[in-house]
Amino acid sequence: MNTAETANDDTEAGEARRDFIREIVRADLAEGRVASVVTRFPPEPNGYLHIGHAKSICLNFGLAEDFGGRCNLRFDDTNPVKEEQEYIDAIETDVRWLGFDWGEHRYFASDNFEQLFAWAEHLIREGLAYVDDQSADEIRANRGTLTEPGQNSPFRDRSVEENLDLFRRMRAGEFPNGSRVLRAKIDMASGNINLRDPVLYRILHAPHPRTGDAWSIYPTYDYAHGQSDAIEGVTHSVCTLEFEAHRPLYDWLIEHLPAPSHPRQYEFARLNLSHTVLSKRRLIQLVTDGHVTGWDDPRLPTLAGLRRRGIPPEAIREFARRIGVAKSDNLVEVQQLDAAVREHLNKHALRRMAVLKPLKLVIENYPEGEIELLDAVNNPEDADAGKRPVPFSRELWIERDDFMEDPPRKFFRLGPGREVRLRYAYFVTCTDVVKDAAGEVVELRATYDPATRGGDAPDGRKVKGTIHWVSASHAVPAEVRIYDHLFTEEVPGAGGRDWLDDLNSESLTVLTGCMLEPALAEANSPATVQFERQGYFAPDPDGTPDKPVFNRTVGLRDSWAKIAKKGG
Ligand code: ATP
Ligand code: MG
């Protein structure tokens, strides 16, 4: 095994991760409060997972890994109107792709509907829940504010019998949507609005992807979530900060129900990433309104999009490790993700040559019809990656940007009369420039020095530049898609702007007629490679063997940092 990889894996596993949630779990185990840790990742199947979810997945599955416990995959499917099987399938694919396994422990909140209903009746019988006939607007109006207490509902003191009867008829489908709800009877004057008789059930005549037409009422998130945790034996129910104020309700429900276990809820800061959006509502809008090509558009922060862009799951896990888990909200620069991607790919990606903006170079003293196979290193960071033969011939493609007719002093690449090294091949000197009628350079003429094959000049003369190339008669033409941030602003929509106004109109640049070395069209491997001197690129499923399409995963350097430095 290669040493770089071993070292990397050792850091990831060996370095004990420390954060406040791990401290809590460690103490709970040490002091015997829990026998073994059980966590869950609880997506609602109403959209695709994004990099924010990856933070939660890495945390929940990571806790189970670190402490020898388990992590359940729970679909929080309590709102049938927005949920679809497509999302369930995509979520499973994405969690597996990230490298985690829930084993047998896949659950659905909807599997608990019968139990949740029975527990709701239990609350009614204990005088702790009632059917409210107020409309949604009335309930909202009577809930009070942060400074004023709420008003008791006129239906709050219904008898147990009447409540049971109405609740069962709600279930039986006798009443229209929105006509009644079941509420917990807690305290309309509570300082915590979540405790002002929260809604536990609402009437919704809508078929559910899993329970079909069986139910006309559905439990709310607050009611279903904690009870599902308890049923699954979750010990640490880790969620994002916006649920902090829901924790007293979480605990109240568990305490007042004959729940089989007492999970505890802990909150951490959600991931906010610059130059993108991580709200499902906004992501759905980008997809359905056609601002992107689909859920797996490589510009999206969805796991499907990041995968299609060529980002390896290891880099996402490393990114999650680096940003850590804390209790205060902050904004993470997307450049941090890019850096993790670049570091991983630098160690693992195979090197290839590709010319994105081709310019013909004809080597006049190279024999016509001759082809040499030159050795090219697959990965200088990984000796085990070996070498590959690259065909060389009289006519090559080089990068248009590697030539300047009138180069400034610090330009070390090709210009009239200048000599450069062709990577893995020979020194060449530009002898002539061919232009079209419009005066545009269309071809370069050159001579090569046969004595420099694959190395230095025997006479000791040096060249300052090395450029990449592709043999013209062997080149595979391809389309290459270059991506930039989806949004021009760090926080789209900040300062009261419409977030859609911050979409970057140049987030996608399509280059056609790019020229690839033949190895890139072989063995249709999905792995991300480095195009030497250009960045990391991954084959896109839109491509075919004779017309490949590549996505730029990330550039070699942080071009944004460079711009910032220049500006400053
Ligand atoms: P919704 O508004 O539909 O609830 P959501 O982003 O909360 O959107 P869920 O499917 O409920 O989506 O999320 C599943 C889990 O992922 C939850 O525990 C949630 O807290 C967590 N999660 C969601 N977004 C982030 C984020 N940006 N950073 C960290 N965790 C997140
Ligand atoms: Mg949520």
Side-chain angles (χ1 to χ4, degrees):
M1 194 194 266
N2 98 63
T3 48
E5 190 179 328
T6 317
N8 185 43
D9 288 346
D10 281 349
T11 342
E12 218 180 283
E15 192 180 286
R17 285 172 281 200
R18 298 229 161 227
D19 55 58
F20 78 97
I21 293 185
R22 284 181 166 79
E23 292 310 325
I24 290 166
V25 171
R26 203 168 277 130
D28 285 346
L29 288 167
E31 289 154 32
R33 277 186 296 275
V34 299
S36 88
V37 60
V38 180
T39 57
R40 85 285 171 267
F41 172 63
E44 189 183 345
N46 61 353
Y48 277 58
L49 297 181
H50 55 61
I51 183 120
H53 294 116
K55 175 177 180 178
S56 175
I57 294 168
C58 290
L59 175 58
N60 281 298
F61 281 91
L63 284 167
E65 273 176 8
D66 287 7
F67 296 100
R70 76 172 145 84
C71 179
N72 303 342
L73 175 63
R74 154 134 39 90
F75 289 99
D76 227 322
D77 57 345
T78 53
N79 181 4
V81 178
K82 294 183 173 172
E83 293 161 7
E84 287 173 27
Q85 186 62 40
E86 178 197 346
Y87 297 137
I88 294 177
D89 298 339
I91 288 168
E92 292 190 6
T93 302
D94 288 346
V95 176
R96 277 208 193 88
W97 174 74
L98 257 192
F100 298 107
D101 185 5
W102 52 90
E104 325 247 271
H105 302 285
R106 184 188 73 162
Y107 303 106
F108 290 85
S110 57
D111 290 344
N112 303 326
F113 279 174
E114 211 51 72
Q115 177 67 79
L116 292 170
F117 182 83
W119 280 343
E121 289 201 337
H122 172 89
L123 289 176
I124 293 173
R125 277 192 295 269
E126 298 287 309
L128 295 173
Y130 63 97
V131 172
D132 193 347
D133 300 357
Q134 294 181 103
S135 68
D137 286 342
E138 287 168 323
I139 290 178
R140 206 173 304 118
N142 291 334
R143 193 160 38 207
T145 64
L146 287 173
T147 49
E148 285 164 55
Q151 302 293 318
N152 281 356
S153 163
F155 304 96
R156 200 171 194 262
D157 294 318
R158 276 180 158 147
S159 69
V160 167
E161 290 66 35
E162 189 182 5
N163 278 319
L164 277 178
D165 174 59
L166 286 172
F167 186 49
R168 287 173 188 165
R169 288 164 62 195
M170 280 167 64
R171 174 181 182 164
E174 283 188 32
F175 310 121
N177 287 354
S179 58
R180 290 190 162 89
V181 292
L182 183 75
R183 298 177 75 176
K185 195 180 201 172
I186 307 181
D187 178 7
M188 287 306 291
S190 171
N192 183 333
I193 290 184
N194 292 297
L195 293 180
R196 293 183 189 168
D197 294 6
V199 173
L200 305 180
Y201 271 92
R202 57 209 186 287
I203 298 172
L204 193 58
H205 294 270
H208 184 283
R210 291 182 57 88
T211 59
D213 292 324
W215 293 88
S216 312
I217 55 173
Y218 290 95
T220 54
Y221 171 90
D222 278 325
Y223 179 54
H225 197 89
Q227 304 350 289
S228 299
D229 285 343
I231 290 167
E232 291 171 27
V234 167
T235 56
H236 297 79
S237 180
V238 181
C239 61
T240 37
L241 283 178
E242 66 270 25
F243 293 103
E244 195 165 14
H246 296 238
R247 188 176 353 118
L249 173 58
Y250 185 101
D251 290 335
W252 186 93
L253 285 164
I254 298 267
E255 275 155 24
H256 290 89
L257 286 169
S261 73
H262 194 149
R264 299 274 173 200
Q265 177 184 302
Y266 301 94
E267 308 87 18
F268 70 101
R270 66 195 298 118
L271 170 67
N272 300 306
L273 195 62
S274 72
H275 298 286
T276 193
V277 291
L278 293 182
S279 135
K280 268 195 242 170
R281 193 176 46 78
R282 287 180 173 184
L283 291 171
I284 288 173
Q285 197 177 336
L286 289 174
V287 172
T288 49
D289 293 356
H291 297 293
V292 293
T293 56
W295 282 105
D296 65 349
D297 187 302
R299 292 167 293 183
L300 286 181
T302 52
L303 297 183
L306 299 175
R307 176 167 62 236
R308 184 164 177 182
R309 214 171 90 196
I311 291 180
E314 295 87 345
I316 296 178
R317 296 204 304 267
E318 175 60 16
F319 168 72
R321 199 184 66 77
R322 288 183 191 177
I323 58 173
V325 176
K327 237 184 153 17
S328 57
D329 267 313
N330 67 339
L331 179 73
V332 175
E333 296 286 337
V334 71
Q335 287 88 333
Q336 280 201 54
L337 172 63
D338 293 345
V341 172
R342 226 176 255 128
E343 277 171 47
H344 179 86
L345 290 173
N346 180 45
K347 288 199 193 102
H348 299 282
L350 297 179
R351 273 51 169 179
R352 294 290 182 259
M353 291 200 286
V355 173
L356 300 187
K357 293 176 192 154
L359 176 62
K360 182 70 78 63
L361 177 85
V362 180
I363 305 171
E364 293 187 301
N365 62 339
Y366 193 86
E368 231 158 312
E370 183 157 325
I371 294 161
E372 280 178 276
L373 290 176
L374 302 174
D375 272 349
V377 175
N378 278 328
N379 184 354
E381 301 285 320
D382 177 3
D384 292 346
K387 295 183 173 179
R388 68 188 184 285
V390 183
F392 184 86
S393 64
R394 187 170 189 269
E395 296 198 3
L396 310 174
W397 294 112
I398 65 164
E399 208 66 61
R400 192 163 272 277
D401 291 347
D402 282 336
F403 170 81
M404 281 183 90
E405 204 177 356
D406 190 13
R409 225 164 46 83
K410 291 224 161 144
F411 186 84
F412 297 126
R413 292 165 273 165
L414 217 48
R418 293 197 174 206
E419 187 170 41
V420 296
R421 182 199 304 272
L422 294 176
R423 186 99 162 115
Y424 308 119
Y426 298 98
F427 286 14
V428 289
T429 304
C430 176
T431 52
D432 205 0
V433 180
V434 182
K435 296 184 183 173
D436 63 11
E440 213 198 319
V441 177
V442 290
E443 189 177 296
L444 301 178
R445 299 269 154 172
T447 55
Y448 85 117
D449 177 355
T452 57
R453 189 182 199 266
D456 290 323
D459 64 8
R461 83 182 182 281
K462 300 283 179 212
V463 286
K464 283 213 168 127
T466 298
I467 65 174
H468 60 273
W469 51 272
V470 172
S471 165
S473 58
H474 300 88
V476 180
E479 175 179 319
V480 174
R481 299 173 183 170
I482 309 281
Y483 301 101
D484 196 351
H485 299 155
L486 187 52
F487 292 89
T488 52
E489 302 302 312
E490 279 207 327
V491 181
R497 290 185 309 274
D498 181 343
W499 64 282
L500 287 170
D501 287 346
D502 291 338
L503 273 168
N504 178 6
S505 58
E506 286 161 24
S507 58
L508 169 64
T509 307
V510 177
L511 303 175
T512 53
C514 306
M515 296 294 174
L516 311 182
E517 72 164 89
L520 282 167
E522 278 166 19
N524 215 2
S525 109
T528 307
V529 294
Q530 184 190 103
F531 289 178
E532 292 207 29
R533 302 177 61 229
Q534 317 257 24
Y536 296 96
F537 293 79
D540 188 271
D542 283 349
T544 59
D546 32 297
K547 193 75 206 298
V549 174
F550 276 80
N551 296 317
R552 187 172 72 183
T553 311
V554 65
L556 281 185
R557 273 169 295 275
D558 183 353
S559 56
W560 286 69
K562 236 178 17 201
I563 290 164
K565 250 188 238 148
K566 264 191 211 153

